[in-house]
Amino acid sequence: MKDRKAALGNGTKPNLSHVRSGIKTYCARACEYGSDKYERGNFLRPSAENPTLRDDFERLREYLEAVDRHLSKVFDSMERQLAMDPSLQDEEGMRRAAYAADTDPGNDKVGPSNLPHLAHLSAGLMMAIEQSINSG
């Protein structure tokens, strides 16, 4: 496999300092939660015993559907805030809406993450990008 980092640009490695610490931190927290809920690195395993392009395609679709669900939760939260505060005067309400904590009950192993949906969205995008790269 060629050098992924160099292949995406002008032949030089990307300057990773462009990626801010906030996304690194929140994406990492969402990944830690996912490791507890599922298993660390499970998204890096093949999508099937002998994966076909169709298997990989379906897995990518599942990651993107999860990203869409988390993004929709943020938009829903912001729309509810706007409906209750059309002039956007309630600063605490706007903060809560933008943070839009994930309170999904999780499963038997873990409870809700209480992380922002945007954190889970960033982790989902990371997994989707890895899936795309790994499946060619």
Side-chain angles (χ1 to χ4, degrees):
M1 175 190 276
K2 26 179 178 170
D3 181 350
R4 306 190 292 194
K5 295 178 262 185
L8 295 175
N10 59 5
T12 63
K13 296 204 181 228
N15 181 344
L16 297 178
S17 68
H18 287 288
V19 182
R20 304 289 18 105
S21 63
I23 192 165
K24 291 176 183 178
T25 299
Y26 277 95
C27 184
R29 290 292 185 216
C31 289
E32 288 171 346
Y33 177 79
S35 291
D36 292 342
K37 187 174 180 180
Y38 305 105
E39 193 173 328
R40 184 178 176 130
N42 67 336
F43 69 96
L44 294 171
R45 295 185 188 117
S47 56
E49 191 170 320
N50 294 304
T52 65
L53 184 55
R54 180 184 178 128
D55 294 325
D56 290 341
F57 182 91
E58 287 295 331
R59 187 182 213 181
L60 175 61
R61 183 176 165 82
E62 289 172 10
Y63 290 138
L64 293 176
E65 286 171 348
V67 166
D68 184 55
R69 284 191 301 275
H70 286 292
L71 183 58
S72 291
K73 293 285 189 176
V74 175
F75 274 126
D76 290 350
S77 177
M78 294 177 83
E79 285 298 315
R80 277 191 302 280
Q81 179 61 31
L82 188 57
M84 300 305 290
D85 180 26
S87 60
L88 295 176
Q89 299 298 309
D90 177 6
E91 291 184 5
E92 186 55 37
M94 287 187 287
R95 281 189 190 95
R96 244 187 343 270
Y99 185 88
D102 185 357
T103 57
D104 180 76
N107 63 21
D108 293 341
K109 289 166 65 174
V110 294
S113 74
N114 293 314
L115 291 167
H117 280 283
L118 291 174
H120 293 289
L121 183 152
S122 69
L125 281 176
M126 178 205 59
M127 289 183 276
I129 290 168
E130 287 295 318
Q131 176 64 25
S132 296
I133 291 167
N134 292 337
S135 66

